[in-house]
């Protein structure tokens, strides 16, 4: 069970949180092709290493935020607001 | 009978003044306080303790701790049964009753032992190869009955378990001198230190030898404030320094039902120190599984700690220097050492053999005695086919070297390296967050272990760099613990009955990965997780494939280190604490009025109000008929209630729902479908506008938490610029719903303002009012098809309102109605029940909401998915009504609609079905392919081999124009 630093409440155990999957997915517009829409809905990268994902402090403040987690070591290297988009 | 008690001063761990009687397989035996079940059985001369898993071979005690593969018993105590307990770690307690596992009718006369005769036909991969034709299920029951270990109780577990979460700067696992030394140093340097010790007392091997160092360390630990947890087994290292352990409290309260039995420790440690010691590696020779063959170190521990001699005359099969220390120690205890049969050449043995008969470069070719060792035949390693020499003995001890307990290190993702000289895997550097000390780090020299462990403890406490372990001191061993060329049944994994030839077979069949070898042969997959077999297995695999052990590598070590009971993991999360029940605010009123409560989701709600002579079904019929004819009173408190506030609330709700909510005027309400991104219906409800920037959202009872969470996610993550606030208020408001042609006649007399009359308050409108000094929020929406008032009232006034409404409704011929009646009423109207009529594939068009969404201007969640080709396929299912052709046969829910009897392609299925008391005929809803075009068609409904003809009709049976809604 990981320790996750909620930006609002501090470090708490993982079982207080809910994982919302990959962060910064760009939702295509209504006129997107079926292929583009299908890729947005169903296809995800599964990196070994650093992964940006969003979490919610479900049994705490209820706020969503972004986390950079290493999928191999589970090390959490950064936590930042949900509204922030990192430079690619 | 070969084991016996040694005289004092042997027995540092037992109290001879405290005899303890116990039962083994129904026979009364006696041991002492401080015995384990294993030591007591051995002292009573019991050699045969169980039968092996696959071949039902006779087995005795093999080890003295967690490595034990054979001495597995069931504990029986009234209706309580604890299956598969290791006799070697079980403390003897008053009245303990143990039974051998895996034998029928008894351990001595075992029916399954005839399986042994079939052993040549049970090689590795036997199950995979044999039971494929014609169908595994033919064989499964017989094999399942024969295989397996203990039996569990079918009665509920009345004992208690609890969980405790703590923080520690340093958590040390292992109460031997290395662990004690690390813990003392860490605590003396100021760290909050917890020491976990599996045994009833700390001290480890030096402890039961009566060493003075241990006493000094224990005293220091006490002074330094080390938190010492005994009888506590660390079973797993998890992410971010979480160490989990179970503390056994059963020995404290033997026989007491309902007592606290186990405690699960979740220790969040800044640093973890593993000091778990090492397991002994057994020798491989034919008959090495016979009762009377055991680990050398175990025999030594039994002699010193428990004053239990495991035999009178011992032969030691050796591949390590430790054999000679054991030989001298046992001889001093009065056990005759016939010889040490050492498979190493004389130059590797050196001076260790002094004073002991040593047969260097020899091995055991045969064990004599099926149910107990009577002797063995030893041969020169270069001439395994020779006649050899017979040695008479009643005990054969195995000293094959050591295997450091690297389990926690490996669980923490530490790497291993192979030490050629000592033939063992040791940690290759520290694991993230975990350092190893003592024997599990490969440090076998006592003073080096003490010093290094202290350095590690101090460094961790002070944040210094941790010194690497001074690996060494285990002496020399060969990788292979057998002599080549000896024939016979040599057991590698005693618990799963895997033999050396099984490994050769796997190699011959081209299994090369150690992970595949493990699964194909089942080596290391029993409850002991191969603690005595893993290293031997990969050495053999290496031999068979011409690879060094380091190249073969080990399998992945996963938690738990030792079996953990479900009770410990579950803790107190049982019954109502597992799934807390939600009760209605006026549950008492319903009970007084004859409610039959059932669970709907987590809510306990009235399913109906059956009278003395009624079943629930007939009550539901009466209640539904009363609502259509007069008036019914319903408790809708669980209905999901969410308030949405803010300048952009309307825009936000347009995004969330299929219906357009921004065009509602204050006071108006509209039905809405909630979709997910796939366009699938996940909830429905009514959205009402209270003011420009204030909405009242009713969701389904089951869906409110999900819906509120989805609202939050969209708002916070995708539309953070929208000024809207989501407030779930379900538990703040009670809800009393009054429905039926006499609904207003009822309410007119309870003091509500006349403006709520149906003439002035339209269907699908909302208004705030007052009831008896409390605010009420009244919504004119209907799930019955009748004139309805949903009156939301502050939750603490729910009962008051119910009583007043009931006082008015009863004289008008009304009744309270439950969920069953509501289901009848809404099915008669063809109203959708999300999750009953819909599933994870249902799109709005499938339930007749295609037109609404094409007209809508705003985007909404799921909209793009509705444009996919699959969503627009004209062959999709459509919700329709079904009535039986004969006008009376009920159509079973779930029955398939098809042209021919199944198995065949299905065209749909029945989703809801009831007997309508108003129509005096069955009514049903179904999802049917191209259903909208098929009105009037007769279809076949198939149920349990029977075909029922049904006619496709529109979904609304009663008042399709909706006139009754307006009163
Ligand atoms: Zn928080």
């Amino acid at each position: 069970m990981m320790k996750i630093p909620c930006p609002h409440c501090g470090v708490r155990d993982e079982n207080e949180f809910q994982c919302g999957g990959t962060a910064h997915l760009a939702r295509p517009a209504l006129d997107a092709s079926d292929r583009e829409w299908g890729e947005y809905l169903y296809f995800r990268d599964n990196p070994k290493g650093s992964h940006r994902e969003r979490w919610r402090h479900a049994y705490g403040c209820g706020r969503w935020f972004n986390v950079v987690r290493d999928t191999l070591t589970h090390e959490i290297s950064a936590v930042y607001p949900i509204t922030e988009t990192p430079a690619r | 009978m070969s084991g016996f008690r040694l005289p004092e001063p042997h027995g540092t761990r037992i109290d001879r003044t405290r005899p303890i009687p116990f039962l083994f397989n129904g026979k009364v035996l006696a041991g002492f306080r401080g015995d384990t079940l294993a030591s007591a059985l051995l002292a009573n001369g019991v050699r045969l303790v169980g039968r092996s898993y696959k071949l039902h071979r006779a087995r005795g005690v093999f080890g003295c701790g967690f490595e034990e593969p054979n001495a597995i018993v069931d504990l029986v105590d009234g209706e309580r049964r604890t299956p598969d307990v290791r006799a070697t770690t079980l403390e003897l307690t008053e009245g303990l009753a143990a039974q051998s596992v895996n034998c029928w009718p008894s351990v001595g006369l075992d029916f399954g032992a005839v399986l042994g005769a079939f052993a040549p036909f049970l090689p590795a991969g036997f199950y995979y190869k044999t039971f494929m034709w014609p169908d595994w299920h033919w064989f499964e029951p017989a094999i399942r009955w024969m295989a397996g270990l203990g039996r569990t109780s079918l009665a509920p577990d009345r004992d208690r378990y609890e969980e405790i979460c703590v923080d520690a700067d340093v958590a040390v696992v292992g109460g031997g001198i290395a662990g004690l030394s690390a813990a003392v140093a860490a605590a003396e340097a100021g760290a909050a230190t917890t020491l976990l010790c599996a045994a009833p007392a700390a001290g480890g091997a030096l402890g039961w030898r009566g060493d003075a160092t241990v006493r000094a360390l224990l005293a220091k630990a006490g002074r330094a404030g080390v938190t010492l947890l005994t009888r506590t087994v660390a079973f797993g290292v998890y992410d971010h320094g979480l160490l989990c352990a179970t503390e056994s409290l059963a020995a404290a309260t033997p026989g007491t039902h309902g007592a606290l039995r186990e405690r699960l420790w979740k220790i969040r440690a800044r640093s973890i120190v593993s000091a778990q010691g090492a397991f002994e590696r057994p020798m491989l020779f034919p008959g090495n599984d016979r009762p009377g063959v055991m680990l050398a170190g175990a025999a030594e521990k039994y002699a010193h700690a428990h004053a239990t001699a495991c035999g009178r005359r011992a032969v030691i099969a050796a591949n390590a220097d430790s054999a000679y220390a054991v030989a001298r120690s046992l001889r001093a205890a009065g056990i005759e050492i016939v010889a040490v049969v050492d498979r190493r050449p004389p130059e590797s043995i050196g001076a260790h053999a002094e004073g002991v008969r040593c047969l260097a470069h020899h091995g055991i070719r045969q064990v004599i005695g099926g149910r107990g060792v009577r002797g063995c035949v030893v041969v020169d390693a270069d001439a395994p086919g020779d006649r050899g020499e017979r040695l008479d003995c009643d005990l054969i001890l195995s000293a094959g070297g050591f295997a450091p307990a690297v389990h926690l290190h490996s669980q923490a993702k530490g790497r291993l390296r192979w030490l050629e000289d000592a033939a063992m895997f040791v940690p290759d550097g520290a694991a993230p967050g975990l350092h190893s000390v003592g024997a599990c780090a490969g440090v076998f020299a006592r003073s080096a272990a003490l010093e290094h462990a202290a350095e590690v403890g101090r460094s961790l406490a002070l944040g210094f760099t941790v010194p690497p372990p001074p690996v060494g001191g285990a002496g020399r061993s060969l990788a292979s613990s057998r002599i080549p060329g000896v024939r016979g049944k040599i057991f590698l994994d005693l618990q799963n009955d895997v033999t050396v030839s099984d490994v050769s077979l796997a190699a011959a069949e081209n299994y090369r990965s150690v992970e595949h070898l493990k699964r194909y042969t089942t080596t290391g997959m029993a409850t002991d997780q191969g603690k005595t077999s893993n290293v031997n297995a990969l050495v053999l695999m290496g031999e068979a494939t011409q690879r060094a052990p380091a190249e073969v590598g080990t399998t992945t070590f996963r938690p738990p280190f030792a079996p953990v009971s479900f009770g410990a993991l579950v803790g107190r999360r049982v019954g109502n604490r597992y799934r807390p029940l939600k009760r209605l605010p006026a549950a008492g009123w319903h009970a007084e009025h004859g409610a039959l409560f059932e669970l709907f989701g987590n809510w306990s709600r009235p399913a109906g109000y059956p009278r003395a002579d009624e079943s629930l079904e007939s009550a539901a019929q009466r209640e539904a008929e009363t609502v259509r004819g007069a008036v019914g009173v319903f408790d809708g408190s669980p209905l999901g209630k969410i308030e949405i506030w803010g300048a952009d609330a309307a825009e936000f709700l347009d995004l969330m729902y299929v219906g357009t909510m921004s065009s509602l005027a204050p006071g108006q309400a509209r039905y809405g479908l909630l979709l997910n991104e796939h366009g699938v219906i996940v909830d429905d409800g009514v959205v009402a506008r209270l003011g420009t920037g204030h909405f009242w959202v009713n969701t389904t009872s089951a869906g409110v938490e999900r819906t509120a969470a989805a609202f939050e996610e969209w708002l916070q993550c995708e539309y953070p610029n929208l000024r809207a606030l989501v407030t779930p208020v379900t538990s703040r408001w009670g809800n009393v719903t009054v429905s039926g042609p006499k609904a207003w006649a009822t309410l007119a007399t309870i003091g509500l303002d006349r403006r709520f009359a149906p003439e002035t308050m339209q269907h699908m409108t909302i208004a705030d009012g007052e009831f008896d000094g409390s605010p009420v929020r009244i919504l004119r929406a209907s799930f019955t098809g009748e004139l309805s008032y949903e009156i939301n009232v502050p939750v603490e006034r729910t009962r008051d309102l119910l009583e007043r409404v009931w006082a008015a409704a009863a004289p008008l011929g009304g009744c309270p109605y439950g969920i069953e009646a509501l289901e009848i009423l809404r099915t008669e109207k063809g109203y959708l029940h999300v999750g009953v009529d819909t599933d994870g594939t249902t799109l709005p068009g499938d339930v007749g909401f295609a037109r609404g969404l094409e007209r809508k201007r705003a985007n909404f969640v799921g909209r793009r998915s509705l444009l996919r080709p699959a969503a627009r396929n004209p062959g999709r299912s459509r919700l329709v009504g079904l009535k039986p052709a004969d006008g009376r046969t009920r159509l079973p829910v779930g029955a398939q609609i098809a042209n021919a009897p199944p198995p065949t392609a299905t065209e749909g299925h029945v989703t809801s079905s009831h007997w309508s008391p108003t129509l005096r005929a069955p009514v049903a809803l179904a999802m049917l392919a191209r259903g909208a075009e098929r009105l009037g068609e007769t279809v076949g409904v198939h149920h349990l081999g029977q075909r029922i003809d049904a006619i496709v009709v529109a979904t609304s049976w009663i008042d399709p124009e909706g006139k009754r809604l307006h009163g």
Side-chain angles (χ1 to χ4, degrees), chain B residues 75-100:
Chain B
L75 298 185
V76 185
D77 177 11
E79 67 180 19
R80 176 205 276 162
R81 281 187 80 95
T82 312
D84 301 336
V85 178
R86 287 174 308 277
T88 51
T89 56
L90 178 69
E91 283 177 67
L92 198 65
T93 47
E94 192 87 29
L96 182 146
Q99 285 177 1
S100 297

Side-chain angles (χ1 to χ4, degrees), chain A residues 1-3 13 27 30 32-34 37 40-42 54 56 62-64 72 74-76 82-83, chain B residues 238-240 242 268 413 677-678 709 712-714 716-720 859 863-865 868-869:
Chain A
M1 182 162 49
M2 297 192 290
K3 286 189 293 186
D13 277 352
R27 184 174 321 98
L30 260 183
S33 69
D34 285 338
W37 185 250
Y40 158 71
L41 272 188
Y42 301 116
R54 69 190 194 199
R56 173 180 175 238
R63 302 280 293 272
W64 284 92
L72 193 64
H74 287 194
E75 188 204 340
I76 292 173
I82 194 70
T83 47
Chain B
Y238 301 87
D239 299 318
H240 299 182
L242 182 70
R268 190 65 86 167
K413 299 196 169 63
E677 279 261 79
H678 305 271
E712 278 293 342
E713 184 168 8
W714 284 106
Q716 288 186 36
C717 303
E718 305 299 334
Y719 301 109
N859 196 356
R863 181 163 206 169
R864 177 61 187 82
S865 288
R868 287 179 297 171

Side-chain angles (χ1 to χ4, degrees), chain A residues 22-84:
Chain A
T22 304
H24 310 303
L25 295 175
R27 184 174 321 98
L30 260 183
D31 58 1
S33 69
D34 285 338
R35 185 179 187 86
E36 274 179 276
W37 185 250
E39 276 174 7
Y40 158 71
L41 272 188
Y42 301 116
F43 290 83
R44 296 288 181 273
D45 291 335
N46 185 17
K48 181 178 179 180
S50 185
H51 184 235
R52 292 180 189 277
E53 55 202 21
R54 69 190 194 199
W55 288 76
R56 173 180 175 238
H57 194 188
Y59 298 98
C61 61
R63 302 280 293 272
W64 284 92
F65 56 96
N66 290 314
V67 167
V68 181
R69 179 181 64 97
D70 189 304
T71 58
L72 193 64
T73 64
H74 287 194
E75 188 204 340
I76 292 173
S77 55
V79 168
Y80 54 98
I82 194 70
T83 47
E84 202 171 285

Side-chain angles (χ1 to χ4, degrees), chain B residues 240-251:
Chain B
H240 299 182
L242 182 70
L243 178 71
C244 289
T246 45
E247 179 184 9
S248 172
L249 301 148

Side-chain angles (χ1 to χ4, degrees), chain B residues 121-175:
Chain B
F121 309 112
L122 292 168
F126 173 70
Y127 296 101
Y128 303 125
K129 289 170 182 167
T130 309
F131 296 120
M132 300 302 291
W133 183 90
D135 184 346
W136 152 252
H137 296 103
W138 283 26
F139 303 96
E140 194 183 352
I143 288 175
R144 290 238 183 275
W145 183 79
M146 300 263 275
L149 296 169
R151 287 194 297 117
T152 57
S153 171
L154 296 177
D157 188 344
R158 287 197 281 133
D159 294 329
R160 289 189 301 117
Y161 303 82
E162 68 176 25
E163 178 180 313
I164 184 166
C165 301
V166 294
D167 284 320
D169 291 331
V170 179
V172 183
V173 179

